[in-house]
Amino acid sequence: MSKTGYFTHRDCWKHEMGPGHPECPERLDAIEDRLLITGVADALERYDAPEASLADIELAHGRMHIAALRGLSDRLNEELMAGGPNYAQIDTDTSINAHTWKASLRAAGAALAATDAVMAGEVENAFCSVRPPGHHACRDKAMGFCFFNNVAVAAKYALQRYNLQRVAVVDFDVHHGNGTEDILANDPRALMVSIFQHPFYPYSGDHDPAPNMVNVPVPAYTRGMDIREIIEMMWMPRLEAFKPEMIFVSAGFDGHREDDMGQLGLTEQDYAWITQRVKDVARRYAKGRIVSCLEGGYVMGPLARSVEAHLRALADL
């Protein structure tokens, strides 16, 4: 049995964006409950996520973006103490509360600590059960529920800290990982493969991607078997040719057929299959090294079952 790390922190529960918002703390509760009930939790090496250092976040984000987010957080906290509002808006669907800054540092810190644990051989692979998610966060902009790009920060960190030559990012969220593309485009040391519903938020990824981007837009109602076939044809040859030394996964489960955030037709079995194909590549070229980070997935039942399937595949359960 391979050892799989599980990285999270209670600070990730404290960030929230208002009543009824789909990106809510209950998402992490649903995952934890499912892993406990099924016994999968017993097979995982559990870690508390540290806070990422700002120097590490600067590997993927501009200093002004980090400073602006911190300034907004400080101002909100001052206003709160004076009886002000609980939230500060970033865009129409993204806002911060008093705990967002710390939760964002923990989410990125989880990806960094998971990278360290995998590189040290403490675990073969790892899953970061964190929020806020990250793959819409661009170098200089927070958007789409995302503030720092956890996967891009960790990928850049692995290249710099461990002097790796080639890292791959796999993104199977229902939405295009525009932020990850913004940060990694034209970096020859990185390959990003993604599949996403299109046309759909953030309405990107379909025009002239950089040569290191394998973007596969698919129409609404695409079923799991079709997505598997596309992955075999479009992702696998590029991953095999690239021979990544480490793989990072933006694990969004909002493409599940029961998740009304999108309109794709994936099931838990499809997520297990995708995870297994990524593992095949990792074991051939990367000593099995995978760090996966939670992105989307907004209906509790299918989210929890899909994460379970993803973790069973990662941990060879």
Side-chain angles (χ1 to χ4, degrees):
M1 191 196 295
S2 68
K3 276 170 73 174
T4 295
Y6 183 83
F7 289 75
T8 190
H9 195 280
R10 292 311 301 184
D11 285 347
C12 293
W13 271 258
K14 295 177 184 173
H15 156 69
E16 47 89 20
M17 295 186 278
H21 198 289
E23 206 293 279
C24 59
E26 290 78 12
R27 298 174 65 225
L28 299 185
D29 285 328
I31 291 167
E32 293 272 344
D33 291 349
R34 181 76 190 178
L35 298 180
L36 279 170
I37 289 164
T38 56
V40 172
D42 297 335
L44 307 173
E45 297 283 323
R46 196 177 176 100
Y47 293 82
D48 256 358
E51 290 182 24
S53 74
L54 297 188
D56 287 335
I57 289 173
E58 280 176 19
L59 295 170
H61 292 288
R63 228 166 247 191
M64 292 296 288
H65 166 62
I66 298 167
L69 191 60
R70 186 174 204 168
L72 187 63
S73 178
D74 290 346
R75 197 156 63 250
L76 175 67
N77 278 299
E78 283 170 21
E79 289 173 2
L80 258 176
M81 290 172 74
N86 290 321
Y87 307 99
Q89 286 295 130
I90 285 191
D91 61 33
T92 51
D93 57 19
T94 309
S95 58
I96 67 166
N97 74 352
H99 306 286
T100 302
W101 172 256
K102 191 152 269 198
S104 300
L105 294 179
R106 295 282 186 196
L112 294 167
T115 300
D116 286 337
V118 168
M119 288 302 298
E122 289 176 33
V123 291
E124 183 183 33
N125 54 50
F127 178 71
C128 302
S129 189
V130 293
R131 43 183 301 282
H135 76 152
H136 295 308
C138 300
R139 179 173 293 284
D140 296 306
K141 185 182 180 185
M143 62 180 282
F145 314 165
C146 303
F147 304 94
F148 297 139
N149 195 312
N150 309 319
V151 158
V153 168
K156 289 279 195 182
Y157 174 81
L159 289 166
Q160 189 200 53
R161 169 79 173 76
Y162 294 101
N163 210 22
L164 298 183
Q165 306 302 303
R166 296 176 308 283
V167 300
V169 172
V170 172
D171 188 326
F172 53 74
D173 192 274
V174 79
H175 305 98
H176 172 231
N178 62 302
T180 314
E181 176 163 342
D182 176 60
I183 293 163
L184 297 180
N186 294 307
D187 185 337
R189 304 168 301 165
L191 171 72
M192 180 177 177
V193 300
S194 66
I195 194 161
F196 49 90
Q197 183 178 323
H198 188 82
F200 201 38
Y201 181 90
Y203 305 100
S204 58
D206 58 325
H207 286 310
D208 300 323
N212 65 326
M213 297 286 139
V214 181
N215 295 354
V216 189
V218 297
Y221 308 109
T222 304
R223 305 292 292 270
M225 289 314 292
D226 297 321
I227 284 174
R228 294 188 195 199
E229 195 173 320
I230 290 165
I231 286 171
E232 287 293 355
M233 288 170 55
M234 308 284 288
W235 286 10
M236 298 310 289
R238 286 295 297 274
L239 285 167
E240 295 277 350
F242 188 67
K243 298 179 172 57
E245 296 169 294
M246 189 161 188
I247 300 177
F248 296 88
V249 180
S250 273
F253 300 99
D254 39 7
H256 194 286
R257 65 185 181 191
E258 294 172 36
D259 194 314
D260 52 12
M261 181 66 84
Q263 291 88 38
L264 292 186
L266 291 164
T267 65
E268 298 89 310
Q269 291 75 22
D270 296 315
Y271 290 120
W273 181 89
I274 295 168
T275 308
Q276 194 55 57
R277 293 304 282 127
V278 173
K279 267 190 85 166
D280 294 343
V281 175
R283 285 199 161 148
R284 262 200 295 288
Y285 304 111
K287 301 179 183 171
R289 298 187 290 224
I290 298 170
V291 170
S292 175
C293 295
L294 180 66
E295 300 284 1
Y298 302 100
V299 177
M300 302 311 155
L303 167 65
R305 297 194 308 271
S306 299
V307 171
E308 179 202 349
H310 180 56
L311 278 164
R312 282 186 182 278
L314 284 176
D316 291 336
L317 297 178

